[in-house]
Amino acid sequence: DASRSVQVVGHLLSESRKKKFLDETNSKYRELKKLNSGIKRAFVSIEEARKKSPQIDWKKYIPVSPEFLGAKVIKITDLSEIREYIDWTFFFHVWELKGKFPEILERQAKGDEARKLYEEAQELLDRIIREKKLVAEAVVGIFPANSAGDDIILYEDESRTREILVLNQLRQQIIRTPGKPFYSLADYVAPKETGIKDYHAIFAATAGLGLEHYLNEFKSKNDDYSLIMIKALADRLAEAFSEWLHEKVRKEFWGFSKEENFSKEDLFQTRYQGIRPAFGYPACPDHSEKEKVFNFLKIQEKTGIRLTENYSMSPAASVCAHIFSHPDSWYLGVDKILKDQLLDYSERKGFLVEEMERILAPVLSYK
């Protein structure tokens, strides 16, 4: 749960809290191991999984031509509009307060604490917006696209003669329910052989530029509470910026859902058409794909977002993701994969097997 990262690291860096936190975590995982020890997972080969991919009726799908093709740079210094897209539920997760916003403010046990946090967050957010030292930047690209097997191919233009980027995807291999398909994100971009002219979007966005100003201020005052608060707000603003940008893509830039008119709660419940899975999430757990996106869209040259050697983004309050338009697309989870898919995936990406195993260690079904 990425929203807990600040709190977890806080425990690990605290001399007084570290031992208790590690003991509790180890105890929890011992119990989880016991619960899972009796579960036997059945897999199919990657060839079999591909044969049993979802059968989409492409004759019923008519892609919408985007308003523009290529890359667009977006920079926003006034964060007041983005503020309206914050999902506050996850803000409270940072402080280990579980509950849905705004109901959490009225809870008998934690209501007072939640209200205090919320009020102080609003005060700091008012200051951030007023001072305009925190800036949101993004690059979003929309391109002609088709799928080929488990890969998504982007083309230079509508002639679709020159491939400019291949985004490699993984496919489910675990048998969940007999007869249920084995999904991959590539399933939701029209295959080459259909002759359908489909499209795909990718983006990187941040709301963390300028954060150092506040970090330095609060560090100089030894104000750990405000340090956690500003980082939590920057993370929420990055997600809110992604939500805002996704809506712009659906309604304007790509325009495949121009007539939608959802409340913010509807947006948080993802009731709109399509999805925006971030690289590293269960649907596309390979963080190294971000390197392709950064190089292709020239993210580092066009924004203040940087990619580390291990594919983390800096500022940390950043998001890099796909945008799919197909109405059947959903936030699937690839889960564990067999070695046959790992070998196939390594060859498609041009990575050494050992390096690919290191990157995908969390989803490997073998040691």
Side-chain angles (χ1 to χ4, degrees), residues 297-362:
L297 294 180
K298 295 181 170 53
I299 304 294
Q300 295 193 179
E301 293 93 321
K302 295 175 180 177
T303 72
I305 314 172
R306 300 289 179 267
L307 198 63
T308 72
E309 62 186 10
N310 286 312
Y311 314 114
S312 292
M313 289 179 287
S314 177
S318 302
V319 177
C320 183
H322 297 270
I323 294 180
F324 291 82
S325 67
H326 197 284
D328 290 347
S329 59
W330 62 291
Y331 288 100
L332 60 100
V334 168
D335 213 322
K336 302 293 184 182
I337 64 171
L338 295 177
K339 191 161 188 174
D340 64 344
Q341 182 168 191
L342 188 282
L343 295 173
D344 176 274
Y345 189 74
S346 301
E347 184 175 353
R348 282 154 50 207
K349 277 179 66 81
F351 274 45
L352 293 173
V353 171
E354 294 77 10
E355 179 66 4
M356 206 70 258
E357 286 179 323
R358 182 186 70 80
I359 293 169
L360 289 179

Side-chain angles (χ1 to χ4, degrees), residues 124 127-129 131-134 210-219 227 230:
L124 184 52
R127 179 187 166 189
I128 289 169
I129 292 170
E131 295 178 345
K132 296 186 178 180
K133 294 188 182 299
L134 209 60
L211 186 62
E212 287 298 320
H213 169 82
Y214 296 102
L215 296 181
N216 292 333
E217 175 189 333
F218 297 138
K219 283 176 185 175
L227 276 171
I230 191 68

Side-chain angles (χ1 to χ4, degrees), residues 150-163:
D150 293 346
D151 295 332
I152 298 168
I153 299 169
L154 306 188
Y155 299 103
E156 184 176 43
D157 53 39
E158 286 287 20
S159 70
R160 297 171 188 258
T161 54
R162 181 169 176 261
E163 297 179 4

Side-chain angles (χ1 to χ4, degrees), residues 185-223:
L185 286 178
D187 296 331
Y188 300 108
V189 178
K192 271 185 181 181
E193 58 267 24
T194 64
I196 294 173
K197 295 184 175 182
D198 210 349
Y199 303 89
H200 190 65
I202 46 179
F203 75 90
T206 186
L209 298 172
L211 186 62
E212 287 298 320
H213 169 82
Y214 296 102
L215 296 181
N216 292 333
E217 175 189 333
F218 297 138
K219 283 176 185 175
S220 69
K221 297 177 180 177
N222 294 317
D223 187 350

Side-chain angles (χ1 to χ4, degrees), residues 264-305:
K264 296 299 185 291
E265 183 59 30
D266 287 333
L267 295 182
F268 301 152
Q269 296 298 319
T270 64
R271 294 190 174 122
Y272 44 74
Q273 178 180 325
I275 55 173
R276 64 165 192 281
F279 294 94
Y281 273 37
C284 42
D286 181 5
H287 283 278
S288 70
E289 286 287 287
K290 283 184 285 195
E291 186 171 46
K292 292 180 183 177
V293 175
F294 268 66
N295 291 338
F296 177 63
L297 294 180
K298 295 181 170 53
I299 304 294
Q300 295 193 179
E301 293 93 321
K302 295 175 180 177
T303 72
I305 314 172

Side-chain angles (χ1 to χ4, degrees), residues 81-97:
E81 183 178 359
I82 292 171
R83 176 188 199 159
E84 302 304 312
Y85 289 78
I86 293 177
D87 185 348
W88 288 100
T89 294
F90 294 99
F91 167 79
F92 291 103
H93 287 192
V94 172
W95 307 94
E96 299 189 343
L97 292 174

Side-chain angles (χ1 to χ4, degrees), residues 1 4-13 17 21 94 96:
D1 183 350
R4 295 187 61 235
S5 60
V6 174
Q7 197 76 6
V8 168
V9 174
H11 287 315
L12 293 174
L13 292 177
R17 301 196 307 272
F21 176 70
V94 172
E96 299 189 343

